[in-house]
Amino acid sequence: MSNRIDRVMEHMVANGLTQMIVSDPKSIWYLTGVDVEPYERLFAFLIRRDGHHAFFLNRLYNVSDTGFEEVWFSDTDDSIGMIASHVDPACTLGIDKEWKAAFLIPLMERCPGMKVVLASDCVDDCRAVKDEEEIRKMREASRINDEVNRLASEYVREGMTEKQVAALIDAEFIKRGCSGPSFTTIVSFGANAADPHHEPDDTVLHAGECVLIDMGCVKDRYCSDMTRTFFCKSADPEQTKIHDLVREANEKAESIIRPGVRFCDIDAAARDLISDAGYGEYFNHRLGHFIGQTDHEKGDVSSANTRTAEPGMIFSIEPGIYLPGRFGVRVEDLVLVTEDGCEVLNREDKHWRIVG
């Protein structure tokens, strides 16, 4: 983890920073191994270019021997004053995007004239490139996701509700040692699938309807995410045509992923295929998002992102077509950028098939 701090400090140097406060608990764990859920209380890790890093810790936290300077306080102590005494008001202070205004504004009042800048990228860009241990964990989370998705497709039947299928998925994650889903499990029947973020309700499945399942688990702190779309009892030609188109868009985008390729070009590979077929207006979201300790991390695969892929990055490829009031189709994998291409982490078949 000291190597991770070194990488963050390299980013700080590149941005002209000598000091930065990290407050996102997941980023702090990533850098130090210290695991705290602070709720409303202050929790911060100060990174300094001179190497004299410091933790600011409430006495309620079950933390010991961090290996860094530890500044302890209670609920009634002046914790902001303690931070103010450790930062250099003559130098710019970087903060991450998670730090509450309730802490930042009082610190700025204590240090008038100190320039404060958003510096989340110094950590987020490091988190975006996974090391071997992180990759191993995310492969395992995706393996579990494939397995449970297969079970769910075999379980779903005409007459079931969306909530019933979602409950099975969540329970199967727990059986496999996961801490739970990485986001609210999406199960959408028929017209509900035209809403990309529909949450499962008491809608009953009928023959001829689509079954869209978007699911992910958290295993050993790291997330998975995938989507497959099926059809109950039967599928008409329009449904199968659109499913084939979405799958081909997914595969087209994955086929060009390699180091140096721009994310906007990956997005275009899928989007142009769908647009050329006349369904461009019904693909109404970006192609993908980065993922790691949270389901959506900083970084995306979109027309606005001109940055390029690097080995170790993991992100989703999830084109979709959503016809309001009728049905929707989405096909999603996670992909890992390798030295000469990409590895698709999801192995479950992507072709349309009949269930129920």
Side-chain angles (χ1 to χ4, degrees):
M1 289 185 173
S2 63
N3 178 59
R4 294 175 178 176
I5 294 177
D6 289 342
R7 289 167 56 205
V8 170
M9 291 175 67
E10 289 174 4
H11 283 266
M12 290 172 60
V13 169
N15 285 276
L17 293 174
T18 60
Q19 54 185 358
M20 175 182 177
I21 288 177
V22 181
S23 61
D24 177 359
K26 287 182 169 58
S27 288
I28 292 176
W29 174 85
Y30 172 81
L31 295 171
T32 69
V34 174
D35 189 12
V36 166
E37 175 48 68
Y39 299 104
E40 78 278 11
R41 293 180 169 84
L42 187 146
F43 176 49
F45 181 56
L46 175 63
I47 301 177
R48 295 185 287 208
R49 194 186 299 176
D50 62 10
H52 295 126
H53 315 311
F55 259 115
F56 297 87
L57 300 161
N58 192 292
R59 296 189 185 282
L60 287 174
Y61 303 155
N62 184 23
V63 173
S64 62
D65 300 325
T66 65
F68 304 96
E69 178 185 357
E70 297 171 7
V71 181
W72 291 91
F73 55 89
S74 66
D75 286 348
T76 55
D77 289 332
D78 180 16
S79 56
I80 298 298
M82 294 176 181
I83 292 182
S85 69
H86 279 73
V87 300
D88 184 348
C91 296
T92 300
L93 174 67
I95 62 164
D96 75 22
K97 60 185 181 293
E98 301 295 333
W99 214 32
K100 295 180 180 179
F103 302 136
L104 173 59
I105 292 174
L107 178 62
M108 294 172 67
E109 291 172 346
R110 293 290 187 94
C111 302
M114 180 178 67
K115 184 178 180 180
V116 176
V117 298
L118 185 63
S120 290
D121 286 356
C122 293
V123 180
D124 290 343
D125 286 350
C126 294
R127 284 178 58 177
V129 178
K130 274 46 179 189
D131 59 32
E132 286 303 316
E133 180 64 11
E134 292 178 294
I135 291 170
R136 182 192 66 77
K137 291 178 178 180
M138 295 191 70
R139 282 188 179 120
E140 175 62 8
S142 285
R143 185 197 66 76
I144 292 171
N145 222 19
D146 278 347
E147 185 176 294
V148 176
N149 181 270
R150 184 164 56 254
L151 282 176
S153 70
E154 295 167 353
Y155 170 79
V156 66
R157 290 288 184 274
E158 182 181 9
M160 284 185 174
T161 67
E162 295 171 339
K163 283 183 177 179
Q164 283 179 280
V165 180
L168 169 89
I169 291 168
D170 294 350
E172 291 296 331
F173 284 152
I174 298 299
K175 287 181 183 178
R176 286 159 178 77
C178 302
S179 55
S182 53
F183 55 91
T184 300
T185 300
I186 297 173
V187 177
S188 306
F189 297 157
N192 288 343
D195 174 3
H197 283 166
H198 171 76
E199 294 193 3
D201 57 27
D202 293 321
T203 297
V204 174
L205 180 61
H206 298 100
E209 291 184 328
C210 69
V211 178
L212 188 154
I213 301 177
D214 187 345
M215 53 190 283
C217 62
V218 182
K219 182 72 166 66
D220 297 330
R221 298 190 69 101
Y222 283 82
C223 298
S224 59
D225 188 2
M226 69 180 293
T227 307
R228 296 291 185 266
T229 306
F230 313 100
F231 299 101
C232 178
K233 298 291 188 181
S234 65
D236 66 37
E238 183 185 23
Q239 289 174 324
T240 59
K241 172 188 171 183
I242 287 178
H243 195 293
D244 286 342
L245 177 60
V246 172
R247 174 183 53 78
E248 288 165 7
N250 166 280
E251 293 170 345
K252 176 65 175 177
E254 291 174 353
S255 73
I256 71 167
I257 297 171
R258 63 183 182 278
V261 175
R262 299 188 304 172
F263 291 107
C264 57
D265 294 330
I266 300 171
D267 181 278
R271 196 170 303 278
D272 289 352
L273 194 68
I274 290 174
S275 295
D276 290 347
Y279 292 96
E281 66 180 295
Y282 303 110
F283 178 17
N284 53 16
H285 56 74
R286 63 191 177 183
L287 182 63
H289 57 84
F290 278 50
I291 185 170
Q293 289 189 71
T294 59
D295 178 52
H296 285 214
E297 294 197 337
K298 190 258 181 179
D300 67 12
V301 186
S302 72
S303 60
N305 189 355
T306 59
R307 298 186 68 173
T308 59
E310 300 175 35
M313 289 180 169
I314 298 178
F315 46 83
S316 68
I317 297 294
E318 49 180 303
I321 293 176
Y322 312 96
L323 303 181
R326 300 182 61 202
F327 68 94
V329 173
R330 183 165 62 254
V331 175
E332 176 187 15
D333 298 316
L334 294 186
V335 296
L336 162 68
V337 182
T338 61
E339 294 295 332
D340 57 1
C342 80
E343 174 188 343
V344 180
L345 299 186
N346 293 102
R347 311 297 173 84
E348 192 67 8
D349 185 58
K350 294 186 276 194
H351 292 76
W352 65 267
R353 60 189 175 91
I354 303 300
V355 298

